[in-house]
Amino acid sequence: MAQAKSILKVGLPLLLGVGLVWYSLSKISIEKLVQYFKDADYTWIILGVSLGMLSHISRAYRWLFMVEPLGFKPKFGNSLMAVYAAYLINFTIPRAGEVARATILKNYEELPFDKGFGTIVAERVADTIMLLTIVVLAFFLESEFIFDFFLQKFNITSLILGGSVLFLGVLVLFLFIRKGKSKFAIKVKGFVIGLLEGALSIFKMKKKWAFIGHTLFIWVMYVLMFYVTTFALPELQHIGLAAILIGFILSSFSIAATNGGVGSFPEAVVLAFSLFGIADDPSRAFGWIVWSTQTLVIIVIGGLSLLYLPIYNRKKTTL
């Protein structure tokens, strides 16, 4: 049973990714997609890739603030290579990168696995909060557009009824989880409590403001990376803030759907941009350009990191 569950965890995202790649390429010819790549302005693509790399460097540096209270002072080089190696490994088995990153730190920095993995989970809490913050920010900045969009798709009575049902559903779920004794209720309650504890633990750090500053920087770089790359295609140079934010949000969620967003990333962009009347072909091409260039950097630097880590730490291991 456990083996079948593990196979499903690995196999389903992979199959979904392959299916979405096939679907995406069936909607745009490879010749046309290649032409978009050829005609793109690579000045903006290189800038986008550079901003993505800055976010990874900041992530590696941010982690140092988390392990310092534990009594460890790892090398920045090990932290950076562990980050890139983790991203690369996530393309093979979902979330295996986090385990690999903690293992790398254990092998080369003598940081106990459980403590290292705990700090990585805390990082994920901070990143989840940032993504939810961007979702809320997008809603408030573009509330008029979102409201008008739903009014066009649904009548006001349906919206009120749907909102009421949603509110009651959330209220019932909250009460069920709060007082429930089932495995599901306990699991969700534990997740929420862990999220809150992780968020509050950030404020107990010695260098909490540096950690918060790096977290903000990482996510600003993510959004800017997505935004500046739109200038690479003439058809997308004048899209609005709403399209950028919603496109970024959906594409961010798509990375968790399949291994590193393979197949799902371009289609998430198409879904988001179609809400604003943007044509499918440039939207899909843009999604493939962003995903493939960022992925290429991760494959190259992640692969080199795995090769160079033993060499970088050779002096330490031979003592």
Side-chain angles (χ1 to χ4, degrees):
M1 185 70 179
Q3 188 177 4
K5 191 175 180 181
S6 298
I7 292 171
L8 285 175
K9 280 185 177 180
V10 175
L12 282 179
L14 184 61
L15 287 173
L16 179 60
V18 171
L20 285 170
V21 168
W22 174 84
Y23 173 81
S24 185
L25 295 180
S26 72
K27 293 295 181 180
I28 184 172
S29 66
I30 294 178
E31 293 79 8
K32 196 169 187 178
L33 185 59
V34 169
Q35 194 60 49
Y36 272 110
F37 270 82
K38 287 181 178 178
D39 295 340
D41 185 342
Y42 277 83
T43 301
W44 295 107
I45 294 174
I46 292 170
L47 179 58
V49 168
S50 301
L51 293 172
M53 292 176 69
L54 283 175
S55 72
H56 302 327
I57 292 169
S58 181
R59 179 177 294 278
Y61 195 74
R62 180 184 69 171
W63 179 77
L64 301 180
F65 299 128
M66 302 197 72
V67 295
E68 187 178 342
L70 302 176
F72 294 88
K73 291 186 177 181
K75 295 177 182 177
F76 171 71
N78 280 333
S79 180
L80 182 61
M81 286 187 281
V83 165
Y84 270 105
Y87 281 137
L88 176 61
I89 292 168
N90 274 335
F91 281 102
T92 57
I93 302 173
R95 298 305 166 199
E98 282 74 6
V99 176
R101 185 178 168 195
T103 303
I104 289 170
L105 299 171
K106 176 182 179 295
N107 291 340
Y108 297 117
E109 293 293 349
E110 300 178 359
L111 176 65
F113 177 85
D114 55 344
K115 291 184 178 180
F117 191 74
T119 59
I120 294 168
V121 171
E123 275 191 343
R124 288 290 173 261
V125 171
D127 291 331
T128 300
I129 291 170
M130 281 303 304
L131 182 56
L132 293 176
T133 300
I134 292 173
V135 172
V136 172
L137 183 65
F139 179 81
F140 279 105
L141 289 177
E142 302 297 335
S143 57
E144 185 177 348
F145 166 81
I146 295 170
F147 186 69
D148 290 341
F149 173 78
F150 279 102
L151 280 180
Q152 291 172 9
K153 299 293 182 181
F154 308 96
N155 61 53
I156 190 67
T157 304
S158 299
L159 284 175
I160 294 172
L161 182 62
S164 301
V165 170
L166 180 63
F167 175 76
L168 288 173
V170 170
L171 182 61
V172 170
L173 182 64
F174 172 76
L175 293 173
F176 169 74
I177 291 170
R178 185 179 179 184
K179 298 183 179 181
K181 303 296 181 182
S182 67
K183 287 184 178 180
F184 173 75
I186 293 171
K187 192 172 183 179
V188 174
K189 192 187 298 183
F191 172 76
V192 173
I193 291 172
L195 196 68
L196 291 173
E197 287 179 349
L200 292 174
S201 68
I202 293 168
F203 293 95
K204 297 176 183 178
M205 288 182 190
K206 187 177 180 181
K207 297 180 179 178
K208 56 180 175 291
W209 295 115
F211 178 91
I212 292 170
H214 274 277
T215 301
L216 291 172
F217 179 81
I218 289 166
W219 284 87
V220 169
M221 290 302 101
Y222 283 163
V223 176
L224 284 178
M225 174 271 294
F226 190 89
Y227 171 62
V228 300
T229 311
T230 61
F231 291 99
L233 298 180
E235 297 92 335
L236 302 180
Q237 288 183 357
H238 304 291
I239 62 177
L241 178 62
I244 294 295
L245 289 177
I246 293 175
F248 173 79
I249 290 165
L250 291 186
S251 61
S252 296
F253 281 119
S254 76
I255 293 173
T258 59
N259 299 34
V262 59
S264 60
F265 191 99
E267 293 311 303
V269 172
V270 173
L271 177 62
F273 285 2
S274 66
L275 300 175
F276 302 87
I278 301 170
D280 286 358
D281 280 357
S283 300
R284 188 168 279 112
F286 167 78
W288 276 108
I289 287 171
V290 174
W291 182 83
S292 60
T293 51
Q294 297 292 332
T295 299
L296 179 62
V297 170
I298 288 171
I299 291 172
V300 172
I301 300 181
L304 290 174
S305 295
L306 287 172
L307 292 173
Y308 187 62
L309 271 165
I311 300 171
Y312 181 72
N313 293 278
R314 184 169 50 197
K315 290 183 180 179
K316 184 177 180 180
T317 55
T318 54
L319 289 176

